[in-house]
Amino acid sequence: MNLNDLLTYFIPTIVFSFLIGLEVRAYLAKFHENDDKMFFGTTRTYAFLGIVGFIFYEIEPENFSVFIAGFIAITILYTLLFKKLLESDKTSIILYLVSMIVYSFGPLVNLYPLWLASLIFVMVIFLLNAKNKLLSFNLKVNIYELETLGKIVLLSAVVLPLLPKDNNIPYLGISLYKIWFTVVVISTISYISYLVQKYIFPSKGMLLTGILGGLYSSTAVTVVLSKKSQTLQENKIFTASIIGATLMMYLRLIVIAAIFNIEVFKIILFPFLAFSILCLIIVFVYYKKAISSPNKIELADSNPLELGTAFLFSFLFIVTMMITNFVVDNFGATGLNILSLIIGFTDIDPFVLSLLAGKYNIDSFAVASAVIIAAGSNNILKAVYTIWFGKDNAKESSIILFILGILTILVGFIL
């Protein structure tokens, strides 16, 4: 190994180690200012740890014998210190863990891309600074939700890799792997939205409710907000929230298309971005006009990662794919557009995913048209829900949704 290579590895090692040492010093000053001065060193100590780890790795890089010996020696030293700390009722080993990470920077920088060591460095800095936030982050997590999440992780991480990728189901032209993968993706997006709503923004206002709810289901949140609108004195914030949910529907469909069908993504990107910008302008105008907003809107506390919901989605996905295959084979792109118009008045996610993930005797433009038409038809459904549940307070938002729906459908037919 030449000098340039050694410097390339050594400089990041010493920089990361020194900076973490500075952060440890700040951490001790901030959180342990009144404690006895009994700790595992700070700036210089951690810089030397990084240097020692680098040297010990370079001495014997094949079997790591010298490096491992150093690791054991440092652990023994910390064990002696920890025994003293226990006498003072101090049980934290965070500084030992940080020191071991610093000691490991030498081989990390040598063996792996620099981004990995950089990421570890950033995470160490972040976690040392996040102590107060983590201690105050007291979430009342439902144990049943964790159990449900565990089941989904099991099905995703264990079952999904075992499903055949190449053996397509007759008539559908898609493998079991891809069917379940679509379920995992859509469930994950919905679950992230659910967690954000429930735990990060538990006391959200109406506008934020619309935006976050739109990530999960713009139709469902439209119904909830429409019912709530009858209790409002003015409807500006309600209109902003409803259109905000539809804005997120457009963006959500863009992301889903990017994951499953890049050709369709390229086609729908600009139309959906244009409608998203239009929605954003409407949201901004009505939000500025709003006099006040309810402090908190309650949505149904329903976990979108219920196994029953996941299996129902997969069933609907297969059924809509079978129907789509039949329509495309017998009626072509025209029949598919009419089907999209009809299905838009239901839950469009299974249909859209079946279009994006399936293989049909039509080109990408026909698939993109069907996706856009379904989104427009769904906007008309939301317009009906809005005026039905919101009555007089929902007239403006219902008209805007109806216009958005018609414009979206027209774009779909023009493609």
Side-chain angles (χ1 to χ4, degrees):
M1 184 177 293
N2 59 47
L3 180 61
N4 288 335
D5 289 337
L6 284 174
L7 283 175
T8 302
Y9 298 140
F10 179 73
I11 290 175
T13 300
I14 187 63
V15 169
F16 290 156
S17 303
F18 181 78
L19 292 177
I20 287 180
L22 287 175
E23 189 60 39
V24 168
R25 183 176 179 178
Y27 168 82
L28 292 171
K30 184 175 182 180
F31 298 110
H32 300 277
E33 184 179 3
N34 298 322
D35 291 358
D36 295 334
K37 301 299 182 182
M38 187 186 300
F39 46 82
F40 203 60
T42 55
T43 309
R44 291 182 300 169
T45 304
Y46 283 85
F48 279 118
L49 271 176
I51 294 172
V52 170
F54 181 86
I55 293 173
F56 283 4
Y57 167 76
E58 291 293 345
I59 290 175
E60 209 285 290
E62 296 296 328
N63 298 313
F64 290 84
S65 55
V66 179
F67 181 83
I68 293 172
F71 181 91
I72 294 172
I74 294 170
T75 301
I76 292 173
L77 286 175
Y78 191 86
T79 302
L80 297 175
L81 173 64
F82 190 65
K83 185 177 178 181
K84 293 286 186 180
L85 292 172
L86 288 176
E87 295 174 359
S88 304
D89 295 326
K90 298 173 184 175
T91 58
S92 174
I93 61 169
I94 186 170
L95 294 182
Y96 167 73
L97 296 176
V98 172
S99 64
M100 289 297 94
I101 291 173
V102 169
Y103 181 71
S104 302
F105 273 135
L108 271 175
V109 172
N110 273 271
L111 298 174
Y112 298 97
L114 184 59
W115 67 260
L116 178 59
S118 302
L119 178 62
I120 293 172
F121 165 75
V122 171
M123 289 305 300
V124 170
I125 298 296
F126 170 78
L127 290 173
L128 286 174
N129 276 288
K131 181 176 180 178
N132 277 344
K133 294 180 180 178
L134 293 174
L135 289 176
S136 62
F137 197 53
N138 183 22
L139 300 181
K140 296 180 180 178
V141 179
N142 190 322
I143 298 300
Y144 180 67
E145 289 175 8
L146 295 178
E147 179 185 346
T148 303
L149 177 60
K151 292 176 183 177
I152 292 295
V153 170
L154 176 66
L155 291 174
S156 305
V158 179
V159 177
L160 184 63
L162 297 177
L163 294 175
K165 296 183 180 180
D166 302 323
N167 298 329
N168 292 337
I169 300 173
Y171 188 69
L172 294 181
I174 189 174
S175 65
L176 286 173
Y177 176 90
K178 200 161 188 179
I179 290 174
W180 191 246
F181 179 68
T182 60
V183 176
V184 170
V185 170
I186 200 70
S187 297
T188 301
I189 294 173
S190 300
Y191 189 63
I192 291 172
S193 170
Y194 166 79
L195 292 179
V196 170
Q197 290 181 66
K198 185 169 183 180
Y199 296 118
I200 298 180
F201 298 107
S203 300
K204 53 194 173 295
M206 181 172 272
L207 179 60
L208 195 55
T209 298
I211 291 172
L212 295 176
L215 283 172
Y216 173 32
S217 172
S218 60
T219 305
V221 78
T222 295
V223 172
V224 173
L225 293 176
S226 298
K227 292 178 179 178
K228 182 69 178 178
S229 69
Q230 297 185 51
T231 65
L232 301 180
Q233 295 180 350
E234 56 93 22
N235 61 2
K236 303 302 182 185
I237 189 65
F238 163 71
T239 302
S241 305
I242 289 289
I243 305 305
T246 299
L247 160 65
M248 298 312 295
M249 179 202 71
Y250 286 120
L251 297 178
R252 184 169 182 257
L253 289 175
I254 290 174
V255 172
I256 292 173
I259 294 173
F260 288 100
N261 195 318
I262 195 65
E263 294 302 320
V264 173
F265 162 76
K266 293 176 182 177
I267 299 170
I268 70 170
L269 176 61
F270 291 108
F272 276 3
L273 278 181
F275 284 118
S276 299
I277 294 171
L278 178 59
C279 289
L280 184 61
I281 293 171
I282 296 171
V283 169
F284 179 78
V285 170
Y286 275 88
Y287 181 73
K288 284 296 184 181
K289 291 181 179 180
I291 299 172
S292 61
S293 172
N295 291 327
K296 185 177 181 180
I297 303 294
E298 292 292 344
L299 294 180
D301 188 8
S302 175
N303 191 328
L305 272 189
E306 295 286 353
L307 285 181
T309 304
F311 286 120
L312 176 61
F313 183 91
S314 61
F315 172 74
L316 292 174
F317 176 83
I318 293 172
V319 170
T320 52
M321 182 168 281
M322 292 176 66
I323 295 172
T324 304
N325 260 317
F326 175 80
V327 170
V328 169
D329 290 343
N330 291 276
F331 305 101
T334 302
L336 179 61
N337 288 342
I338 296 173
L339 178 65
S340 303
L341 199 62
I342 296 170
I343 288 185
F345 285 90
T346 63
D347 182 6
I348 65 172
D349 280 342
F351 176 66
V352 168
L353 281 166
S354 69
L355 286 173
L356 296 173
K359 295 180 179 179
Y360 306 101
N361 297 321
I362 50 176
D363 58 19
S364 298
F365 280 94
V367 174
S369 294
V371 172
I372 295 172
I373 292 169
S377 180
N378 192 251
N379 280 344
I380 295 177
L381 172 67
K382 286 181 288 189
V384 174
Y385 280 151
T386 302
I387 196 67
W388 180 270
F389 292 108
K391 309 301 180 186
D392 291 340
N393 273 354
K395 286 181 180 178
E396 288 186 57
S397 54
S398 180
I399 292 171
I400 293 172
L401 283 172
F402 185 79
I403 294 173
L404 281 172
I406 295 297
L407 290 176
T408 306
I409 290 171
L410 287 176
V411 170
F413 275 110
I414 290 171
L415 281 180

